[in-house]
Amino acid sequence: SKSCDGGLKRRIRGVTVYPQWGGDECDATKDEQTCNALSCDRPCLLHNWGRWRACTRACDRGMRWRSRKIKRAATGDGRCPRTFSKARYERRVCNAQPCPLDVVCVARMDLLIGIDASGSMGLSGWKAQRTALLQLVNRMALSKTSGIQLGILKFAYKITILSQLTDDKKKLISAITKTKFDRWTTNIGGAFRSMKGMLQKGRRDAPSICMLWTDGRPSRPSSKYDASLGAKSLRSSCRVMVVTMRPAVPKSYVSPWVSHPKSQNVMVVNHPNLMVEKVMKVNTFVCGRVQTFLDWTKAY
C-alpha cells in the first residue's frame, strides 16, 4: 500500500465449500503483512569505484581520475553526494616529467581537428594555423592498425570536411595545402556536429579525440547556445578539446564545451600567428603517448 515508511500488503482467498450440517468454520480468508518499512527519506546508493582513466597527457603533468555512479537514486529528503565530491570523484597527477623538445605522437587514437577559417583569423593567422597543422601531421605516427587516424575539417559560415579519418599522410598534406581561407563567420556549433558525423567512420576499439582550434566566439549561423548543444552531443562520442587563439576567447568561455577534466582539455595561445611555435605544445596537449623524434626515426 506504500512504497516506504511502512505499508501493508494483503492477500485473500475465496471459499470453495461453505460449512454445512454442523461442519467447522473455514480458516481465515484474509492475510496481512507489513512491508516497505524503510524511511521515505533515503540517501542514494552508489556503485563501486570505476576504473582509473588513462593519463590525459604523456608529459608536462597529466591527470588520471575515477568516479562512482549512482546505483539507486535518493528518495524524499534523502541526499546524494555531488558528481565531483570526494565521495564520488578522485584524481591523481600523472606523467609530471617535462616533455622533450621534439616529439612524435605514437598513441593509438582517432583524432579529428577542426580549424578556424573565419574572417577574424586574418590571412596571416590563417597561413600560420595551416602551417602549424602541416607540421603537426609530420609529428604523428599514422597507422590504421597501431597508430593515429586523422580527420580534418575547416569551419567558417560553412563547414568543409578536408579529410575523413585516414592514415594516408600524403592525402592529408595535400588536403591541408590546397584548402583556401573562407573569411566569414564562426560556425562552431556546426563544426561540433560535423565532427560527430565524421566519427561514424572511426575504429570502435580506438579512443576518439575531437580538437577544435578557434580565435573567435560563435557567430551566425551558430551562437553560444548552439555551440554548447553541439559540444554536449559530441562529448558523448569523443573527448572534446579546444585550443583558443585570442585573449577575446578566454579559457572560461570555452571550458563548458570541453570534456572532463576541464583544465586538461583547454589550451590557450594568445594569437593565431603563434601557432607554429606552439606545435610541440599542441602535440603533447592532445597525445597520451609520445616518443622523441630521434628515437622514432631510428625505429621506423
Side-chain angles (χ1 to χ4, degrees):
S1 61
K2 295 173 69 177
S3 61
C4 51
D5 274 347
L8 288 175
K9 58 182 180 181
R10 299 181 178 91
R11 61 179 181 174
I12 59 174
R13 57 182 177 178
V15 176
T16 303
V17 178
Y18 286 90
Q20 297 181 28
W21 316 110
D24 293 336
E25 291 294 326
C26 295
D27 293 333
T29 58
K30 295 181 181 179
D31 184 27
E32 291 185 348
Q33 290 182 357
T34 59
C35 57
N36 295 335
L38 294 174
S39 170
C40 287
D41 301 327
R42 285 188 296 172
C44 69
L45 180 65
L46 300 177
H47 282 284
N48 293 330
W49 285 102
R51 62 179 178 80
W52 284 99
R53 301 297 180 95
C55 194
T56 55
R57 296 184 187 175
C59 48
D60 271 352
R61 195 178 175 89
M63 187 182 295
R64 301 182 70 196
W65 58 278
R66 66 176 183 171
S67 61
R68 300 177 73 183
K69 294 182 178 180
I70 296 174
K71 186 174 183 179
R72 185 192 65 211
T75 58
D77 291 331
R79 296 187 177 184
C80 197
R82 293 179 179 272
T83 303
F84 298 114
S85 65
K86 290 182 178 180
R88 293 185 57 190
Y89 174 75
E90 290 183 344
R91 65 182 184 182
R92 293 177 181 172
V93 172
C94 53
N95 295 337
Q97 73 279 7
C99 289
L101 294 178
D102 192 1
V103 297
V104 175
C105 180
V106 295
R108 187 173 189 273
M109 62 179 171
D110 288 339
L111 173 62
L112 296 178
I113 299 178
I115 58 174
D116 194 336
S118 63
S120 59
M121 287 289 294
L123 184 58
S124 62
W126 164 254
K127 288 181 177 179
Q129 179 185 218
R130 191 172 60 180
T131 300
L133 185 55
L134 286 169
Q135 292 182 5
L136 188 64
V137 171
N138 283 313
R139 287 297 183 271
M140 290 188 166
L142 300 172
S143 171
K144 188 173 182 179
T145 55
S146 60
I148 299 170
Q149 283 201 128
L150 180 61
I152 302 169
L153 65 77
K154 69 173 179 177
F155 60 95
Y157 183 85
K158 295 182 178 180
I159 310 298
T160 304
I161 296 175
L162 304 183
S163 174
Q164 295 285 359
L165 286 165
T166 181
D167 61 352
D168 189 333
K169 182 178 286 189
K170 288 183 179 179
K171 181 180 176 181
L172 289 164
I173 290 175
S174 176
I176 297 166
T177 304
K178 291 178 180 178
T179 190
K180 305 296 183 182
F181 183 30
D182 288 356
R183 295 186 178 90
W184 201 235
T185 54
T186 314
N187 187 1
I188 291 177
F192 284 142
R193 285 188 289 275
S194 295
M195 283 181 169
K196 186 161 186 177
M198 292 171 71
L199 286 172
Q200 300 302 313
K201 297 186 178 181
R203 295 167 290 185
R204 291 189 176 184
D205 61 342
S208 300
I209 297 180
C210 303
M211 180 168 58
L212 189 85
W213 299 1
T214 184
D215 85 321
R217 301 187 180 206
S219 57
R220 193 166 60 91
S222 188
S223 64
K224 185 177 181 180
Y225 177 71
D226 176 64
S228 296
L229 285 181
K232 182 179 180 181
S233 176
L234 185 59
R235 287 196 300 270
S236 66
S237 303
C238 70
R239 177 185 171 190
V240 178
M241 310 177 78
V242 173
V243 177
T244 70
M245 296 181 285
R246 286 194 194 273
V249 190
K251 195 172 185 177
S252 58
Y253 188 88
V254 301
S255 287
W257 302 343
V258 303
S259 299
H260 183 81
K262 307 290 186 182
S263 62
Q264 295 288 308
N265 291 309
V266 180
M267 178 178 172
V268 176
V269 178
N270 288 328
H271 196 279
N273 290 349
L274 299 175
M275 284 298 289
V276 174
E277 63 184 71
K278 298 292 185 181
V279 167
M280 283 301 109
K281 286 288 186 182
V282 174
N283 204 3
T284 56
F285 168 63
V286 74
C287 190
R289 184 168 171 246
V290 298
Q291 195 171 0
T292 64
F293 180 70
L294 183 61
D295 289 343
W296 182 75
T297 52
K298 288 179 179 178
Y300 295 95

